[in-house]
Amino acid sequence: MKHTALTSTHEALGAKMVPFAGYNMPVQYEGVNIEHETVRKAVGVFDVSHMGEFLIEGPHALELIQKVSSNDASKLTIGKAQYAYLPNEDGGIVDDLIIYRVKEETYLLVVNASNVEKDWNWISSKNDVGATMRDLSEDYSLLAIQGPKAVEAMQSLTSHDLAAINFYNFIVGDFAGIEHVIISATGYTGSGGFEIYCKNDEVKQVWDKVLEAGKDFGIKPIGLAARDTLRLEMGYCLYGNDIDDTTSPFEAGLGWVTKFTKEFTNSKALEAEKARGVENKLIGFKLDERGIPRQGYDIVDGQGKTIGRVTSGTMSPSLGIGIGLGYVPKIFAEVDSKIHIKIRKNAVPATVVKLPFYKG
């Protein structure tokens, strides 16, 4: 079991710790609903240092990224980030990730914790262009400071104007007394805020100062359980649940980050798939009656015939109803379509809705 640099800090705060992606991680402190509401209404801080970070550098860095990424990284200028996925050779997804352009020939790739080794091996196998690759995952920590009060609460910790950092933009600057920290206007909650990348030996200082600066704004430490309910309310995919090695990116709704302006892994087959259309689609649904949909539950039609399965589901803390994501044939994917979720022996009626669930 691996530990982040803040494991003992979480334990001292009374966090419930669970194994996640090989790490001992805080799943909750006070409770999922309280932590969820804190992020939606004020500001919370997550330790997500289990995420992986790769540095790709040199004159051939962009060439390698263009080859492995679905998105067009040539559009990135210094200080900008983009969401993308790594296609495999079989029409599926190796992982989804964020790509940051740090310098002219330096890119930071942030990947999912459970896929660090897999992603590293995959990208390395495609690196016949001589790009320099470094795995920084064990040396860097990542804090997500999320919520509508994040800018106001954190402004005292930096000389930079946080309100001026647009969504999916970042700066490298001073934060919480540490120089050369990445302050990125990204996150996984849909409530605004920042992600802070710093070295492991700096993160305790950053964490303490973040909690101190946010005290008057109601800041609280937030666990991974609330991170999951927050992302699900936004309809954001979670690798391993909603997308994986067998998932079509077009069925998953990732056509918007699939750019055929260049060639990349399996791009010809993906282009053909886009042209002919997909049979199934990832939908968001809400239950019309009481119940909680869970991953793996069957989705059935009005006659009880199985038409799909739930990939993510929860009781929405913001909406007070059961919500979920799942794959169904296109005929059932239109907004307002009626489906049923098999919860134990009951087929609970549900309605397909337009994402996100949470409108802010």
Side-chain angles (χ1 to χ4, degrees):
M1 183 85 74
K2 294 179 182 175
H3 299 273
T4 76
L6 292 172
T7 296
S8 58
T9 303
H10 302 311
E11 290 171 342
L13 287 165
K16 181 184 177 187
M17 307 295 285
V18 298
F20 183 82
Y23 280 83
N24 191 22
M25 297 297 290
V27 68
Q28 63 181 48
Y29 300 83
E30 288 181 77
V32 180
N33 288 356
I34 293 170
E35 293 168 32
H36 183 107
E37 191 172 319
T38 296
V39 174
R40 284 284 181 246
K41 295 184 175 172
V43 58
V45 57
F46 305 75
D47 176 15
V48 283
S49 303
H50 59 317
M51 299 292 280
E53 294 89 14
F54 305 154
L55 210 59
I56 300 189
E57 298 178 286
H60 300 291
L62 178 60
E63 189 180 348
L64 174 59
I65 291 166
Q66 290 288 71
K67 190 164 30 161
V68 298
S69 165
S70 64
N71 210 332
D72 188 352
S74 71
K75 304 290 186 204
L76 286 174
T77 52
I78 295 167
K80 288 195 181 294
Q82 71 178 195
Y83 177 67
Y85 63 89
L86 305 173
N88 63 25
E89 305 281 9
D90 307 311
I93 299 167
V94 177
D95 201 6
D96 61 338
L97 74 164
I98 298 179
I99 302 166
Y100 295 81
R101 190 169 192 175
V102 183
K103 297 176 185 170
E104 196 61 43
E105 294 182 350
T106 302
Y107 297 81
L108 179 70
L109 275 51
V110 180
V111 304
N112 284 299
S114 54
N115 290 335
V116 172
E117 187 179 355
K118 180 175 85 161
D119 292 356
W120 177 264
N121 291 340
W122 177 259
I123 298 168
S124 298
S125 75
K126 302 292 181 185
N127 186 17
D128 55 6
V129 296
T132 302
M133 293 176 57
R134 283 197 285 156
D135 183 356
L136 306 179
S137 307
E138 299 286 331
D139 305 318
Y140 275 76
S141 292
L142 172 56
L143 301 182
I145 303 161
Q146 299 283 292
K149 294 184 180 176
V151 170
E152 194 183 357
M154 295 299 116
Q155 187 55 66
S156 65
L157 295 181
T158 178
S159 61
H160 299 275
D161 180 5
L162 294 178
I165 308 174
N166 294 325
F167 193 47
Y168 266 74
N169 283 243
F170 69 95
I171 59 165
V172 180
D174 62 284
F175 189 84
I178 308 288
E179 296 294 327
H180 309 301
V181 169
I182 291 178
I183 308 170
S184 172
T186 47
Y188 198 43
T189 66
S191 282
F194 300 93
E195 293 183 301
I196 305 293
Y197 297 83
C198 62
K199 291 180 180 169
N200 288 344
D201 59 3
E202 299 167 339
V203 72
K204 179 66 165 70
Q205 177 177 318
V206 175
W207 174 272
D208 290 344
K209 293 201 172 188
V210 163
L211 287 176
E212 182 62 31
K215 202 159 59 176
D216 294 340
F217 300 88
I219 198 168
K220 290 181 178 181
I222 313 294
L224 292 184
R227 188 170 187 251
D228 194 52
T229 55
L230 289 157
R231 72 93 192 166
L232 185 46
E233 285 187 348
M234 296 309 298
Y236 295 154
C237 287
L238 173 63
Y239 195 90
N241 281 44
D242 313 299
I243 52 175
D244 60 28
D245 288 298
T246 67
T247 309
S248 155
F250 292 108
E251 291 189 351
L254 296 178
W256 65 285
V257 289
T258 308
K259 302 292 169 64
F260 297 113
T261 49
K262 44 116 193 190
E263 276 195 37
F264 57 86
T265 305
N266 207 37
S267 57
K268 288 282 186 282
L270 288 172
E271 200 164 11
E273 182 184 18
K274 183 186 180 184
R276 69 176 176 267
V278 294
E279 293 177 13
N280 300 296
K281 284 185 79 174
L282 183 67
I283 54 148
F285 64 84
K286 62 180 184 183
L287 296 188
D288 299 336
E289 298 175 5
R290 285 182 63 82
I292 304 175
R294 299 290 186 198
Q295 182 191 18
Y297 284 8
D298 284 343
I299 303 174
V300 299
D301 64 13
Q303 286 70 51
K305 181 188 171 192
T306 300
I307 56 171
R309 68 179 180 86
V310 176
T311 55
S312 289
T314 194
M315 173 62 71
S316 164
S318 300
L319 308 176
I321 56 172
I323 62 170
L325 301 174
Y327 288 91
V328 295
K330 264 202 321 192
I331 192 170
F332 295 98
E334 294 297 319
V335 170
D336 294 329
S337 294
K338 295 296 180 182
I339 55 173
H340 295 77
I341 310 303
K342 203 74 185 289
I343 302 178
R344 297 182 189 88
K345 292 180 180 175
N346 300 322
V348 179
T351 303
V352 176
V353 297
K354 185 174 167 53
L355 294 171
F357 299 100
Y358 176 76
K359 305 293 196 264

